[in-house]
């Protein structure tokens, strides 16, 4: 006999549904969480307890029903009630202009056509069917006519609403979108696989597809998947706006994530400008895109234009240059870095990928070569994203030639012939030569002079190599003893260039303690750790005298980093080099030790758009010196946004959240008021 449910418990269950659904929407769709995690957990546990006591309260749209169904034996097939069509592609501006011309010809109009512009996410196309606002089923695109039923797996994705957030939804609503894996989630998933000795995924799209095709939805639930919607299919019993962009905004209000980079272009030239703008920031986006989808924004015009074959006449995808390509690994060379790390570099048959011709790619280390199972002569897939160093991501084993050779790590340094040593527990092998190895010396000087370190303008990599090779430079402190006459004698170095370099070296002597610590190149000490060390100890002498126990009191410094820092300051030649740098005039102002006394302590700032007086790194450094955390995205926890020309979605989000916004002049005034000399 079914236990009767008191009205009070029934109402409370409904309240908890609404609280949890709203919290999911704010967290996973709007990126503006309001409900603390602890309160969310309490509400979820309370609902679970109610449903346990009164099983009749369990409904398909309950927030408790995202995970836990028994594994499937196989996927069943679903026939789409409206075909999921593919898109025609454009690969250059001329093809886009031809697309626009065909639109005008078919409409018999010379008036500009408005287009909706959306990044083309590199994921898996899906269809979600809602009946009376409740998710009924989800299916892959398949061949466009028949797809696979992936309802159980899709229910585990928190950006997929199980119940829509309004009462004005159509009786039947089919929503179409892309399920994808953000870059950060993909990296974490592969890192976890490596730690477990398992093979990782080739790319985020591959990872998303593999996650969706798990017969056990509990595995899918552990994967960091997201849904972004881009269109609708069948609609019954309701009206939707007459512009595509407004339809997406309506879907967003009902509970779906839409792409924050979406825009409306008034004509084809604005479309091309949008394409170039997104292309420039493509590598910085938190997800992979492989192009831009342009759609005629007017839905009545879409209906007039109709379809051809398996694609709509009113839409096209302007593809970016491929980020993955196939080529042949011809040989492997070994480079030596500033810490002595010996890195294998693949020499490739040149291939055009990611907008450039690539002939080299990193293989990282011995463990990565073993994981990939790669050999010299193999056909490999390489990946390049933006400015990221190209890397080999997989091997096409079916194309392995009979004469493929194993990759042998050198026992002696390829530069100085010192023994190559491997520390137990580390994947990286290192040259033991130290500064007698010219490769390490060159890399140490390049790092010291780099923008985030001492920022010595004009001291590029080629010049460093030339100075070391000519015997003019043997240490970082030697930079400050260079003189005009020997510099002028170098190839392609005139008197003006030489003097500019000397002026830049003089200017760089005034720095900050965090920058100086970072410039020293201590193993595992990046910008953030250098800043934490400087803030904690406030003074270089105190830091140099600290033992590993004292060092581990610093935020984010564990036993490994503490060991490297203490070991660095125990080496006589490092102490001699620091003394020589200070004698040469390198100096900095004292750091503030107590973070709470810093004027921006506890505040999160975001920089967006182009800064014209300061570089982004300079602005970030000044804010961090005042105690602020500088984040890459805007949220309800952001204190202030600094917006320069060209600021886009981050500025819009800041305005939506009523956050303080400064332009560059306002930032400069604030910095000066805090005693920062600019």
């Amino acid at each position: 006999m079914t236990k009767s449910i008191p009205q009070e418990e029934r109402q409370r269950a409904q309240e908890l549904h609404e609280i949890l659904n709203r919290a999911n929407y704010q967290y996973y769709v709007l990126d503006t969480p309001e409900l603390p995690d602890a309160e969310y957990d309490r509400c979820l546990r309370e609902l679970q307890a109610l449903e346990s006591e009164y099983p009749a309260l369990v409904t398909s749209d309950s927030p408790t029903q995202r995970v836990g169904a028994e594994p499937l034996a196989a996927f069943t097939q679903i026939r789409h009630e409206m075909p999921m069509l593919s898109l025609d592609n454009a690969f250059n501006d001329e093809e886009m202009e031809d697309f626009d011309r065909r639109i005008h010809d078919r409409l018999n109009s010379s008036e500009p056509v408005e287009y909706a512009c959306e990044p083309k996410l590199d994921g898996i196309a899906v269809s979600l069917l809602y009946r009376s606002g409740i998710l009924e089923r989800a299916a892959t695109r398949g061949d466009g006519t028949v797809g696979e039923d992936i309802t159980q797996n899709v229910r585990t994705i928190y950006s997929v609403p199980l119940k829509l957030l309004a009462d004005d939804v159509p009786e039947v609503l089919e929503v179409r979108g892309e399920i994808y894996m953000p870059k950060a989630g993909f990296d974490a998933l592969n890192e976890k696989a490596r730690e477990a000795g398992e093979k990782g995924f080739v790319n985020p799209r591959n990872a998303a597809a593999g996650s969706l095709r798990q017969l056990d939805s509990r595995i899918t639930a552990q994967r960091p998947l997201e849904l972004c919607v881009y269109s609708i299919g069948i609609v019954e019993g309701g009206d939707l706006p007459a512009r595509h962009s407004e339809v997406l905004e309506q879907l967003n209000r009902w509970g779906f994530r839409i792409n924050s980079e979406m825009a409306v272009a008034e004509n084809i030239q604005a479309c091309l400008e949008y394409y170039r703008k997104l292309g420039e920031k493509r590598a910085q986006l938190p997800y992979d895109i492989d192009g831009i989808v342009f759609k005629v924004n007017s839905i009545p015009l879409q209906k007039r234009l109709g379809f051809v074959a398996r694609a709509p006449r009113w839409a096209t995808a302007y593809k970016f240059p491929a980020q993955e390509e196939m080529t042949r690994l011809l040989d492997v060379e070994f480079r030596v870095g500033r810490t002595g790390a010996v890195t294998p570099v693949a020499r490739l048959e040149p291939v055009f990928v990611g907008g450039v011709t690539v002939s080299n790619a990193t293989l990282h280390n011995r463990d990565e070569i073993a994981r990939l199972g790669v050999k010299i002569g193999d056909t490999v897939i390489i990946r390049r994203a933006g400015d990221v160093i190209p890397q080999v991501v997989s091997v096409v084993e079916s194309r392995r030639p009979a004469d493929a050779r194993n990759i042998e790590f050198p026992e002696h340094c390829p530069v100085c012939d010192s023994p190559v040593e491997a520390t137990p527990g580390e994947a990286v092998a290192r040259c033991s030569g130290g500064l007698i190895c010219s490769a390490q010396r060159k890399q140490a000087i390049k790092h010291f002079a780099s923008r985030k370190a001492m920022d010595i303008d004009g001291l590029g990599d080629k010049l460093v190599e030339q100075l070391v090779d000519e015997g003019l430079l043997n240490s970082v402190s030697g930079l400050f003893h260079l003189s005009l006459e020997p510099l002028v004698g170098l190839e392609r170095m005139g008197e003006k260039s030489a003097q500019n370099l000397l002026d830049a070296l003089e200017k760089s002597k005034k720095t900050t303690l965090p920058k100086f610590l970072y410039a020293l190149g201590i193993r595992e000490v990046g910008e953030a750790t250098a800043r934490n060390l400087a803030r904690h100890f406030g003074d270089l002498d105190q830091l140099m005298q600290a033992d590993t126990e004292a060092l581990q009191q610093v935020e984010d410094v564990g036993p490994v980093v503490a060991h490297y820092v203490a070991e660095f300051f125990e080496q006589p030649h490092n102490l001699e080099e620091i003394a020589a740098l200070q004698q040469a005039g390198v100096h900095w102002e004292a750091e503030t030790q107590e973070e709470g006394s810093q004027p921006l302590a506890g505040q999160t700032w975001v920089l967006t758009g182009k800064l014209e007086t300061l570089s982004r790194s300079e602005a970030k450094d000044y804010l961090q010196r005042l105690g602020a955390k500088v984040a890459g995205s805007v949220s309800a926890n952001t204190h202030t946004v600094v917006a320069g020309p060209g600021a886009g979605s981050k500025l819009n989000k800041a305005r939506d959240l009523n956050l303080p916004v400064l332009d560059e002049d306002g930032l400069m005034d604030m910095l000066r008021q805090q005693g920062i000399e600019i």
Side-chain angles (χ1 to χ4, degrees), residues 56-362:
L57 286 175
V58 180
T59 58
S60 63
D61 64 310
S62 171
T64 66
Q65 299 303 298
R66 288 195 176 271
V67 191
E70 288 299 311
L72 300 171
F75 290 110
T76 58
Q77 292 189 327
I78 286 179
R79 178 170 291 276
H80 300 297
E81 297 185 40
M82 179 183 291
M84 293 184 70
L85 302 178
S86 56
L87 290 174
D88 287 334
N89 294 322
F91 294 96
N92 54 51
D93 288 4
E94 290 76 16
E95 292 181 0
M96 279 296 297
E97 288 167 349
D98 286 344
F99 164 72
D100 181 64
R101 178 186 51 75
R102 291 193 299 272
I103 295 291
H104 283 87
D105 289 347
R106 289 196 169 91
L107 293 175
N108 193 25
S109 169
S110 59
E111 294 296 316
V113 173
E114 184 181 77
Y115 293 97
C117 319
E118 301 166 56
K120 187 175 181 297
L121 290 165
D122 198 8
I124 309 301
V126 296
S127 164
L128 309 180
L129 186 67
Y130 288 81
R131 200 175 296 276
S132 301
I134 306 296
L135 176 64
E136 184 174 280
R137 74 180 189 204
T140 61
R141 178 182 178 276
D143 64 3
T145 302
V146 176
E148 290 182 322
D149 186 340
I150 53 169
T151 307
Q152 284 191 187
N153 290 346
V154 165
R155 292 175 66 85
T156 70
I157 301 170
Y158 279 85
S159 50
V160 174
L162 302 181
K163 180 180 181 181
L164 302 185
L165 299 179
D167 297 326
D168 61 339
V169 298
E171 177 62 27
V172 177
L173 174 67
E174 182 192 3
V175 181
R176 293 173 174 182
E178 201 86 359
I179 289 178
Y180 64 99
M181 187 174 291
K183 294 175 183 176
F186 170 74
D187 291 341
L189 182 65
N190 268 1
E191 180 62 30
K192 186 176 179 181
R194 279 192 288 270
E195 289 174 356
E198 300 169 354
K199 191 171 183 178
F201 289 97
V202 173
N203 54 45
R205 187 184 189 282
N206 175 257
S211 300
L212 277 181
R213 298 206 79 256
Q214 294 292 326
L215 293 172
D216 187 346
S217 63
R218 291 168 295 191
I219 297 176
T220 307
Q222 297 170 15
R223 305 285 173 82
L225 299 173
E226 297 285 355
L227 168 74
C228 182
V229 301
Y230 57 71
S231 72
I232 56 171
I234 60 169
V235 179
E236 297 176 4
D239 295 322
L240 287 170
R243 296 168 79 234
H244 175 74
S245 57
E246 293 173 354
V247 170
L248 293 184
E249 290 166 1
Q250 179 65 70
L251 291 175
N252 185 233
R253 288 191 288 272
W254 284 341
F256 296 98
R257 177 192 290 271
I258 60 175
N259 198 293
S260 61
E261 302 291 343
M262 182 190 72
V264 174
E266 60 187 14
N267 54 41
I268 192 63
Q269 293 307 315
C271 289
L272 298 179
E273 179 58 33
Y274 176 90
Y275 175 87
R276 285 187 282 273
K277 178 182 174 184
L278 260 291
E280 290 172 0
K281 66 186 297 187
R282 179 186 183 190
Q284 283 72 53
L285 294 174
Y287 42 77
D288 277 350
I289 61 174
D290 58 6
I292 306 295
V293 176
F294 296 100
K295 302 173 184 174
V296 171
N297 202 25
S298 165
I299 292 176
L301 290 186
Q302 289 182 9
K303 293 178 179 177
R304 281 180 58 190
L305 289 163
F307 303 85
V308 57
R310 297 171 62 83
R313 288 194 178 101
W314 41 265
T316 195
Y318 190 175
K319 302 297 284 291
F320 288 126
Q323 290 187 298
E324 287 188 353
E325 277 294 353
M326 199 160 57
T327 188
R328 200 160 64 90
L329 193 155
L330 304 176
D331 202 356
V332 173
E333 296 180 4
F334 294 87
R335 292 180 181 172
V336 183
R338 65 180 174 84
T339 64
V342 179
T343 303
V345 177
R347 299 298 184 203
L348 306 166
E349 202 167 78
V351 62
F352 192 75
V353 57
V356 300
T357 299
V358 170
S359 56
N360 301 322
T362 181

Side-chain angles (χ1 to χ4, degrees), residues 375-388:
K375 297 184 178 185
I376 295 170
D378 272 340
T379 295
V380 296
I381 294 173
I382 62 166
R383 179 176 176 81
R384 181 183 181 273
D387 295 328
V388 177

Side-chain angles (χ1 to χ4, degrees), residues 543-555:
L543 171 59
M544 287 167 45
Q545 294 166 18
D547 58 20
T548 56
E549 186 175 339
L551 287 164
Q552 288 182 66
Q553 303 306 309
V554 179
E555 181 183 358

